Amino acid sequence: MTLILPQPRPLVGPDRQTAPPVRNHRRRRTFYTAALVVTSLFTSAVSALAQSAGVAEKPYLGWSSFSQQTITSNFLTQASIQAQSDALLASGLQAHGYNYINMDSGWMSTFDANGRPIPAAPNFPDITALVTHIHQNGQKAGIYWIPGVEQPAVQANYPILGTPYHIQDILTVPYTAGNAFGGSGTSPFHYKIDFTKPGAQEYITSVVNLFASWGIDFIKLDAVTPGSYNDNTAIDNRDDVAAWATAIKQNSHPMWFTISWALDQDYLSTWQTYANARRIEGDVECEGNCSTLTNWNMVTQRFYDLVGWEKASGPTVGWNDLDSLEVGNSNTDGLSSTEQQSAISLWAMGNAPMFIGGDLTALDSTGVQLLSNDEVIAVDQSGYPAQEVAGGFNPIWASKQADGSYYVALFNLNAFPTSMTLPWSTLGFTGASAVRDLWSHIDLGPVNSGFSAVVLGHGVRLLKVSPTGRATVPHSQVYEAEAGVVSGSASVASCSNCSGGLKVGNLGIGPNNTLTINNISVERAGTYEMEIDSMTVGARALIYQVNGGLPATLNVSGGSFNIPASTTVPVQLNAGMNSIQFGNPTSYPPDLDRIVISGDGSATAPNWTGYEAEVATIGGAASVSYCGNCSAGSKAGNLGGAGANVTFTNVSVPTAGTYQMEIDYLTSGPRSYFISVNGGTGTELDLDGSSFSLPTSTVVPITLQAGVNTIQFGNPTNFAPDLDRIAISPTVGTATLSGAVTAKLGLPVLRFWQLSLTNTSKTKAGQAEVNLLSLTQSSGNGTCHPKVLARLPLEVGDIAPGAHKAVAVPIDFARCSESARFATSLVFSSNNGAVVGNATDAMTTR
């Protein structure tokens, strides 16, 4: 096997590791006793300097131009912005609170006689008239700018309005970069301002006053450091941020102030003091790296990003900005309706500003329906940002409200339906007198002990819960990382914000660079909760093994190598002593502070298992390489040709049958795998994609024997897609919605399968749909991959109690032999994912 690694990581300060720069990758935490952690879990910090009173008590809702700019050339014009304003008004979303129209980078061309930006002609012939139009539509207008001064204004050395000073008088000498876009040397194009010099504050004030004279209500300051992938003070825009806040505060026209992007959390107090919101990560848009505005992988990263910042936001300290919501047009957004629903739910739980990123003139009815759910918007506007209470691929977020109720969101980052359970004791109470599903607007009644549900692949259940009783705090044990056994390059370093004042870093990039925590003692065998406190800047991943068992992955992200963040995953432990090893043989893990083991062994174990391609058996010319957007930070590539394959040798299932297999793959253009199970004939799986750096997922049925199985991916004659990971899950679903193939019509090569969904409940199954139909050849001559020609999800409609509805799905069997038989998987749902059905068949004819 060939291992392709990025350049060696530099150290910045004691053990401060920095992974290779990857697009879109971007506390002092006091460790209380377990009881105090439970009781204080959902409290908010209070203290900050507001810029404009009354502007940012709640996160704003609206629209921003940048997303559409990434896929439509010459989009940023006055006519386009005016059309978006009119479309927002016509959409009906404005009545639900969406009222910001924000112009991003590209609106200006040159400078006025005082070095202030002026709009680009002919694209913006009259920006004041544009802002007036936006205001007349009942909306607010936003604009984009950056710290420092651009070269044309520096060269012209314009006089600063109302002062005896000129632009060159206020610059740092020798000249240096003024923001993250600035170049190296003394001609950086973006020049740094020295705010100790007279005239510097006056210059920023003059720019803010110009924006105010146009009627601007929102300013985004971009490329701010420390942050923007420059996590040091070499540029340092903290004085710029303070100066902009000062200028905004002195102006009589109220303005929202956002700073961007991937801000360094080590300087959180500055960001909280001077800005109404801060972008905690890079752009959510693919920006040419996929064929749509974004994809699910880009959204998934936000689940990891938000964990480290979860306690840092609120009405008095500003909001965590997760970037644009790519919701509203499934053709261009790159997200299914289920994924859009999950994205909105995460933004809402995080109390993040909710601003749409696509073309408002092309909104579809599903997008409008999702964006206008007032019960979900109320979550976003609550002023009580949620915190993660369970992590991994099935994260759960919760927030306690002023009236004692809780908002709870159960997310499934897997592509297949997954059973999830939340014991109420995790949140500190024993029962729920009322539970309401906020997406389906259904009251579920009292729910004792906890909430269990099957959650759609990439889906969510969003609840409002009225708690009863007080739960006993579970027993917990703390194990400091520095007390474990470090090997290879792993080392102990000081960490003032860490428990015990120390941490372990330099893990990973090799199988021997590990930390092993021994002597983890529990009285009985079972499933326990393991809190992992770690630190990172940007995306990283731990691979951990319990008692030498199967490797498991924890993907994380963050904004500091000095401030720990916590995430919790289930682990199965033996009675007596246990050991857990942490590392990552092929990529970069975060630094580790400590782990906390809690519970009595009765936690719910996941019923699915994930397997990373890079730690499988790599054959022939296949290789492993760094992949910042991939699970565990690596992928297997160069697949295809004799022996160039990936083999998973330890895929274990409890009983023989047909399972669902998620495949997370990467390709630009059509490629195919030949998949062989237990040494059998390879079955071809045709795939397509638009990126070798952003994984996408497919789910196929696979027939496995009880016990251990071997699954191999390759292609004997051609290139195969790169492979990130696979995951295996049993068929799961709810009992009230069933589905079956009830007829097969048409020609042998093009069949129309009639799928019938039956509602056996006593209430309506609203907006039923087919979410997945997948077939793989299980026997017969040849090898083929039948292609479902319908775009999924496929709308079925409302189904009355006791009734059924059918929908026809075209399937291309042109490459399949007459003797071929197929394993099939069917996933269907209703009530916005509140009811999920799933059916598999090991061997069916066309």
Side-chain angles (χ1 to χ4, degrees), residues 305-619:
D305 297 329
L306 189 56
V307 173
W309 297 80
E310 62 186 7
K311 292 185 177 180
S313 71
T316 60
V317 293
W319 308 102
N320 292 325
D321 186 339
L322 300 180
D323 205 12
S324 300
L325 267 176
E326 310 301 355
V327 173
N329 186 327
S330 298
N331 292 320
T332 57
D333 292 335
L335 303 176
S336 70
S337 57
T338 299
E339 292 165 346
Q340 292 178 47
Q341 181 176 309
S342 294
I344 295 173
S345 299
L346 179 65
W347 266 244
M349 290 297 289
N351 286 189
M354 289 172 49
F355 51 100
I356 309 161
D359 182 359
L360 296 177
T361 68
L363 288 172
D364 57 35
S365 58
T366 299
V368 172
Q369 180 189 38
L370 292 172
L371 290 165
S372 60
N373 186 322
D374 288 328
E375 292 189 70
V376 177
I377 293 171
V379 179
D380 181 74
Q381 301 289 289
S382 69
Y384 292 88
Q387 296 177 40
E388 186 189 71
V389 297
F393 288 90
N394 299 132
I396 300 175
W397 289 74
S399 64
K400 185 177 182 180
Q401 303 301 297
D403 63 359
S405 66
Y406 284 75
Y407 287 128
V408 178
L410 295 84
F411 295 96
N412 178 19
L413 305 188
N414 293 318
F416 45 71
T418 300
S419 296
M420 294 182 64
T421 296
L422 172 65
W424 296 138
S425 59
T426 301
L427 304 180
F429 52 90
T430 58
S433 60
V435 176
R436 181 169 175 81
D437 187 301
L438 301 185
W439 279 113
S440 62
H441 308 298
I442 294 175
D443 290 319
L444 304 178
V447 178
N448 296 324
S449 301
F451 181 81
S452 296
V454 175
V455 183
L456 276 173
H458 300 173
V460 64
R461 293 297 302 276
L462 183 60
L463 312 170
K464 186 172 185 179
V465 180
S466 299
T468 59
R470 179 184 287 270
T472 302
V473 177
H475 173 71
S476 63
Q477 302 173 84
V478 176
Y479 299 88
E480 298 288 348
E482 62 271 18
V485 178
V486 296
S487 63
S489 67
S491 60
V492 177
S494 62
C495 175
S496 60
N497 294 304
C498 292
S499 173
L502 297 170
K503 65 176 181 177
V504 173
N506 289 319
L507 292 162
I509 307 297
N512 299 318
N513 305 323
T514 61
L515 163 70
T516 303
I517 299 179
N518 297 310
N519 302 321
I520 298 173
S521 177
V522 296
E523 290 185 359
R524 55 176 257 187
T527 303
Y528 292 78
E529 300 291 348
M530 177 171 66
E531 174 189 319
I532 300 175
D533 297 339
S534 66
M535 295 144 286
T536 177
V537 173
R540 294 195 174 197
L542 277 172
I543 291 182
Y544 59 94
Q545 291 178 271
V546 180
N547 297 322
L550 286 174
T553 301
L554 177 64
N555 297 304
V556 296
S557 188
S560 173
F561 274 108
N562 303 305
I563 306 172
S566 301
T567 194
T568 300
V569 293
V571 290
Q572 296 185 28
L573 301 177
N574 299 326
M577 294 297 178
N578 298 263
S579 67
I580 306 177
Q581 185 178 89
F582 299 88
N584 189 323
T586 63
S587 194
Y588 300 93
D591 294 352
L592 279 181
D593 176 16
R594 67 173 196 170
I595 65 170
V596 181
I597 303 295
S598 62
D600 59 4
S602 62
T604 302
N607 64 347
W608 61 273
T609 307
Y611 303 85
E612 298 289 346
E614 61 270 19
V615 296
T617 301
I618 308 297

Side-chain angles (χ1 to χ4, degrees), residues 133-379:
H133 184 91
I134 292 171
H135 287 166
Q136 288 173 343
N137 278 343
Q139 302 154 356
K140 299 180 184 296
I143 208 161
Y144 168 104
W145 199 234
I146 52 176
V149 187
E150 289 189 353
Q151 184 169 312
V154 173
Q155 290 177 330
N157 197 26
Y158 294 114
I160 296 170
L161 185 66
T163 77
Y165 306 107
H166 291 69
I167 293 293
Q168 293 178 13
D169 295 331
I170 65 171
L171 301 180
T172 298
V173 178
Y175 293 155
T176 187
N179 56 58
F181 296 139
S184 59
T186 57
S187 298
F189 192 81
H190 300 269
Y191 289 74
K192 184 171 179 57
I193 297 174
D194 181 348
F195 284 95
T196 67
K197 293 183 175 181
Q201 178 65 60
E202 288 82 357
Y203 174 66
I204 299 301
T205 300
S206 74
V207 176
V208 169
N209 289 346
L210 176 66
F211 292 164
S213 72
W214 297 342
I216 294 296
D217 309 291
F218 171 105
I219 296 174
K220 171 184 172 181
L221 194 68
D222 202 17
V224 171
T225 73
S228 302
Y229 309 149
N230 292 267
D231 295 296
N232 54 62
T233 56
I235 299 173
D236 198 351
N237 293 129
R238 285 177 292 173
D239 286 345
D240 297 80
V241 171
W244 279 82
T246 298
I248 290 170
K249 187 176 183 180
Q250 63 81 41
N251 197 283
S252 60
H253 184 73
M255 299 182 202
W256 179 291
F257 183 40
T258 281
I259 55 176
S260 184
W261 78 92
L263 272 299
D264 191 322
Q265 196 180 5
D266 292 330
Y267 307 96
L268 175 62
S269 61
T270 297
W271 315 141
Q272 289 181 324
T273 299
Y274 294 112
N276 300 126
R278 62 260 160 186
R279 275 269 300 280
I280 64 171
E281 184 48 282
D283 296 341
V284 74
E285 298 86 3
C286 288
E287 296 173 34
N289 206 22
C290 71
S291 59
T292 49
L293 285 176
T294 191
N295 74 354
W296 176 247
N297 181 274
M298 301 296 291
V299 172
T300 298
Q301 184 62 36
R302 270 60 190 167
F303 286 90
Y304 309 132
D305 297 329
L306 189 56
V307 173
W309 297 80
E310 62 186 7
K311 292 185 177 180
S313 71
T316 60
V317 293
W319 308 102
N320 292 325
D321 186 339
L322 300 180
D323 205 12
S324 300
L325 267 176
E326 310 301 355
V327 173
N329 186 327
S330 298
N331 292 320
T332 57
D333 292 335
L335 303 176
S336 70
S337 57
T338 299
E339 292 165 346
Q340 292 178 47
Q341 181 176 309
S342 294
I344 295 173
S345 299
L346 179 65
W347 266 244
M349 290 297 289
N351 286 189
M354 289 172 49
F355 51 100
I356 309 161
D359 182 359
L360 296 177
T361 68
L363 288 172
D364 57 35
S365 58
T366 299
V368 172
Q369 180 189 38
L370 292 172
L371 290 165
S372 60
N373 186 322
D374 288 328
E375 292 189 70
V376 177
I377 293 171
V379 179

Side-chain angles (χ1 to χ4, degrees), residues 361 552 558 592 691 750 788 808 810:
T361 68
L592 279 181
S691 176
L750 179 61
V788 177

